[in-house]
Amino acid sequence: MSPAEFFLFERLHGHLAVLGLAVLAHPILSLGRPGLSRGTRLSALIAAALLSLSFASGLWIYPPYRALVKPELVREALPLALRFESKEHLAAICLALALGGVGVLLSAGRHPTGRRAARVLFLLSFLVGLLTGALGVFVAAGGQAL
């Protein structure tokens, strides 16, 4: 993968994650109301799919990152390199929470307790996703952002 291709896919990876978080806001908000609509289930599934695609694309571009970016980042800015590694762990947590929320919603979403549990999982996923994105922007900006 060329550097230009890497940077293109890196941006697509981030945009998929942002879109996934934006869609995740719908079930967070709608699960605060009584009942469960098809739209809520659908938006939860779409959000989880987008976050899964973002995570998978991150795994796909990780080898070129290790070859093109990481060596210089470790050499020149070790704290940023470590923040990037933290971002990757937070991304895995974000995805796990979103998938857990979908599982709870699909299996117990007809019950108020199930809807509350799914909403909490989605909210935690959203918050962890925001932190993940903030770290990603910070690292991509070379520590100049935030």
Side-chain angles (χ1 to χ4, degrees), residues 66-81:
R66 286 182 49 211
L68 297 169
V69 178
K70 190 174 182 177
E72 182 179 342
L73 196 57
V74 168
R75 195 172 35 256
E76 302 294 326
L78 183 59
L80 281 180

Side-chain angles (χ1 to χ4, degrees), residues 64-111:
Y65 161 81
R66 286 182 49 211
L68 297 169
V69 178
K70 190 174 182 177
E72 182 179 342
L73 196 57
V74 168
R75 195 172 35 256
E76 302 294 326
L78 183 59
L80 281 180
L82 295 175
R83 283 186 180 92
F84 177 85
E85 297 304 322
S86 297
K87 178 193 88 71
E88 296 305 295
H89 291 89
L90 288 171
I93 293 167
C94 172
L95 179 59
L97 289 165
L99 293 174
V102 167
V104 170
L105 186 64
L106 295 178
S107 64
R110 299 213 181 275
H111 304 289

Side-chain angles (χ1 to χ4, degrees), residues 12-130:
L12 288 172
H13 160 71
H15 282 80
L16 284 169
V18 168
L19 187 56
L21 290 177
V23 175
L24 191 58
H26 180 264
I28 293 168
L29 296 172
S30 64
L31 286 170
R33 291 177 255 153
L36 178 63
S37 71
R38 280 188 5 209
T40 299
R41 288 190 298 267
L42 183 60
S43 62
L45 288 167
I46 291 170
L50 288 166
L51 292 172
S52 296
L53 280 172
S54 175
F55 191 81
S57 69
L59 290 174
W60 184 66
I61 64 172
Y62 191 75
Y65 161 81
R66 286 182 49 211
L68 297 169
V69 178
K70 190 174 182 177
E72 182 179 342
L73 196 57
V74 168
R75 195 172 35 256
E76 302 294 326
L78 183 59
L80 281 180
L82 295 175
R83 283 186 180 92
F84 177 85
E85 297 304 322
S86 297
K87 178 193 88 71
E88 296 305 295
H89 291 89
L90 288 171
I93 293 167
C94 172
L95 179 59
L97 289 165
L99 293 174
V102 167
V104 170
L105 186 64
L106 295 178
S107 64
R110 299 213 181 275
H111 304 289
T113 304
R115 285 192 300 277
R116 278 193 302 274
R119 186 177 190 213
V120 167
L121 289 169
F122 290 142
L123 181 60
L124 290 172
S125 175
F126 185 83
L127 294 173
V128 171
L130 287 179

